[in-house]
Amino acid sequence: MTRERFDLLICGGWVIDGTGADRYRADVGVREGRIAALGDLADAQATQVIDARGRIVAPGFIDTHTHDDRYLSIDPGMAAKLSQGVTTVVTGNCGISQAPWRPGWRREVPAPVNLLGNDASDFPFASFGAYLDHLDRHPAAVNAACLVGHTSLRAAAMADLDRPATATEIDHMQVLLREALQSGAIGLSTGTAYPAAMPATLDELTAVASVLRDHGGLYASHIRDEGDRIFEALDEAFEVGKAASAPVLISHHKLIGPRNHGRSEQTLAHITEASQRQQVALDCYPYVAGSTILRKDRLAVSSRVIVSKSVPYPEYAGRDLHEIAQHMGLTPEDAVDALQPAGAIYFIMDEADVERILAYPGTMIGSDGMPHDPAPHPRLWGTFPRVLGHYCRVVGLFSLEQAVHKMTGKPAAYFRLPQRGRVAVHHAADLVVFDADTIADTATWASPTSQAEGIDSVVVNGVVAWQAGAGTGARSGRVIRPERR
Ligand code: ZN
């Protein structure tokens, strides 16, 4: 018998395959970027060997909610993500994507599109296809699956964003979305909670989203209201999804403000009921604070506000808003104006809601990290190890197999990412080797970019991209184009 030969052999670990099934002992043989064999491969030869004894071998994690559109190009090592075991990021969430953009069309980058870049020159792609081609030609260390943002479509099609789109503008957005889906976008996101998309009516949303029906693709919604009017907002997202025959993804599901704390019991029941009629899933990050642009309407519902970025006052990043306001001799409201463009972290949620939503079977894990903030929310560096360490091992919210499923097999199936999210023969060799006993987030409010512990190795398309606490320099990520229905 000839000895089998692999490019990479991961030996002696416990495989958690991403389906939710129980772990089992197996070696993993990788050839030409794919998983070629599973089982007892003690007799095989390999160019490179990873000793995984005492470790878990799982599919690489899929970060279902990111704003990494431009981070992929400007920091292709993607350390914030790779260091957590993430091998695929879903970009273009909350209605904002780096493409398409009309060069010369507007000088100012409207909020919240400016979460991705402050300057018009940060948006060089006139079409979504051009953006994906660029990523194809300049791969990052992780894979990307890319959504198109409705607010970005508005910014390309409309001169003024403070009103509903006209029929001609809707036509224009449909053309841009069609081009994006044909080029390999995985779907459409909206963010009607933000002023730049707030005036969009249900008719505008359903008209734009209707393009999804012909091309496949998912509908991700940062819903209009995560506070007092959350049920209407959820129903609007369900409506849009139904009209477009598209699976719905409710982004970063949460309940904002003390008055709404505890209501996740009802929202989850409502979501379960909707999922009898249509496909619905959620994503969630494992923290009681949110983060987005700095806005006054969040102050009253937050118990604490930390400024994560200020373009005119970079020295204030990482400090509490009330402290900054005192220092500037302003009211907190006036300080919000003075600091713009700016980002912030808001303590607005209740721990019981976070845990209930995380544990819900329809929930996937998405960091919503802000890679361009100088003092980012710690979710950028900590989300996945925090779910596996704190919420799985310490709190016992779910089994390790269930936690891994929420990060791998479930999102791969929901986003229709072909041959991803499972440890199975013929699947892409996106893999993470970690220590279930020590995996932990270390990023905190005070030290938000601290690297997680317990991740041994991360493999992206068969290439070792992270090992011994550092990136290897590999850039083996790809654009993942979806399977079409
Ligand atoms: Zn959002």
Side-chain angles (χ1 to χ4, degrees):
M1 203 182 103
T2 55
R3 295 171 71 189
E4 242 195 311
R5 199 168 169 92
F6 299 104
D7 302 330
L8 172 67
L9 192 55
I10 302 175
C11 291
W14 288 92
V15 171
I16 292 183
D17 72 2
T19 64
D22 289 344
R23 70 196 73 178
Y24 63 97
R25 254 281 301 120
D27 306 322
V28 181
V30 172
R31 204 159 39 219
E32 288 167 5
R34 301 205 161 258
I35 296 167
L38 286 167
D40 183 354
L41 305 174
D43 293 334
Q45 289 182 307
T47 312
Q48 198 176 359
V49 176
I50 293 174
D51 179 359
R53 280 174 298 175
R55 299 292 191 258
I56 302 294
V57 182
F61 306 141
I62 298 172
D63 189 345
T64 59
H65 190 110
T66 84
H67 297 290
D68 291 342
D69 305 48
R70 191 167 74 91
Y71 184 48
L72 285 161
S73 307
I74 64 171
D75 196 354
M78 298 289 290
K81 297 302 166 79
L82 263 187
S83 61
Q84 300 182 56
V86 169
T87 57
T88 298
V89 296
V90 176
T91 65
N93 280 282
C94 301
I96 60 171
S97 49
Q98 196 188 359
W101 180 265
R102 281 169 72 185
W105 167 240
R106 55 174 81 240
R107 271 187 312 135
E108 301 272 308
V109 182
V113 184
N114 61 5
L115 287 171
L116 304 177
N118 295 309
D119 200 273
S121 65
D122 294 332
F123 297 81
F125 307 108
S127 69
F128 210 81
Y131 170 66
L132 295 183
D133 285 350
H134 178 84
L135 290 181
D136 283 334
R137 283 197 310 271
H138 306 277
V142 303
N143 304 305
C146 306
L147 294 160
V148 189
H150 162 250
T151 306
S152 296
L153 296 178
R154 290 189 118 229
M158 302 170 67
D160 307 309
L161 303 178
D162 55 1
R163 55 170 178 77
T166 65
T168 316
E169 290 161 344
I170 288 173
D171 273 354
H172 190 177
M173 288 193 258
Q174 289 176 328
V175 169
L176 294 170
L177 177 56
R178 198 166 290 124
E179 183 276 334
L181 294 167
Q182 283 166 347
S183 304
I186 58 166
L188 172 73
S189 77
T190 60
T192 46
Y194 292 103
M198 230 175 245
T201 59
L202 179 61
D203 286 347
E204 176 184 329
L205 299 175
T206 51
V208 174
S210 69
V211 175
L212 294 171
R213 200 185 308 123
D214 304 329
H215 298 271
L218 154 148
Y219 171 57
S221 177
H222 174 157
I223 59 175
R224 210 176 272 278
D225 192 311
E226 295 174 316
D228 297 351
R229 306 190 60 177
I230 192 164
F231 287 93
E232 290 109 295
L234 286 168
D235 287 342
E236 181 181 64
F238 301 152
E239 265 317 297
V240 175
K242 211 186 301 166
S245 312
V248 174
L249 175 56
I250 303 296
S251 296
H252 44 57
H253 186 43
K254 60 174 160 307
L255 287 122
I256 288 181
R259 220 180 12 228
N260 294 300
H261 290 171
R263 291 178 82 201
S264 61
E265 226 166 317
Q266 287 96 51
T267 58
L268 292 175
H270 192 64
I271 289 163
T272 301
E273 198 195 302
S275 54
Q276 315 297 317
R277 303 184 297 270
Q278 63 190 117
Q279 279 186 278
V280 183
L282 317 174
D283 65 62
C284 180
Y285 50 81
Y287 296 87
V288 291
S291 179
T292 183
I293 50 175
L294 180 60
R295 48 194 286 182
K296 285 180 203 170
D297 61 354
R298 285 281 188 276
L299 303 189
V301 288
S302 302
S303 58
R304 182 183 174 194
V305 179
I306 305 172
V307 170
S308 58
K309 156 185 138 174
S310 165
V311 174
Y313 295 97
E315 67 273 22
Y316 285 138
R319 293 178 60 182
D320 278 40
L321 177 69
H322 77 261
E323 196 184 294
I324 297 170
Q326 245 166 24
H327 198 252
M328 296 176 106
L330 298 172
T331 64
E333 283 74 15
D334 290 342
V336 168
D337 289 333
L339 293 167
Q340 298 293 346
I345 297 163
Y346 306 92
F347 289 74
I348 42 173
M349 290 170 251
D350 178 51
E351 178 64 26
D353 284 324
V354 173
E355 294 188 7
R356 199 177 289 122
I357 293 166
L358 279 175
Y360 182 70
T363 300
M364 308 185 284
I365 309 303
S367 71
D368 202 5
M370 298 297 171
H372 308 294
D373 283 3
H377 187 306
R379 66 195 184 187
L380 176 66
W381 285 81
T383 289
F384 291 82
R386 184 168 169 80
V387 170
L388 297 170
H390 179 71
Y391 283 110
C392 180
R393 184 181 62 241
V394 179
V395 178
L397 265 191
F398 24 55
S399 71
L400 191 57
E401 283 81 354
Q402 286 165 330
V404 168
H405 177 59
K406 285 172 176 292
M407 306 173 170
T408 59
K410 183 168 175 65
Y414 206 70
F415 289 101
R416 295 180 170 267
L417 308 180
Q419 297 187 301
R420 304 277 165 177
R422 280 178 60 193
V423 181
V425 171
H426 304 312
H427 271 57
D430 292 341
L431 298 160
V432 53
V433 180
F434 66 92
D435 186 342
D437 297 329
T438 62
I439 191 165
D441 59 304
T442 65
T444 61
W445 310 111
S447 179
T449 61
S450 171
Q451 195 172 299
E453 287 167 1
I455 302 284
D456 283 18
S457 309
V458 184
V459 176
V460 180
N461 293 308
V463 180
V464 180
W466 185 269
Q467 202 155 36
T472 63
R475 299 286 182 267
S476 56
R478 289 190 197 141
V479 174
I480 304 179
R481 291 173 169 83
E483 228 156 39
R484 290 299 184 210
R485 278 164 287 181

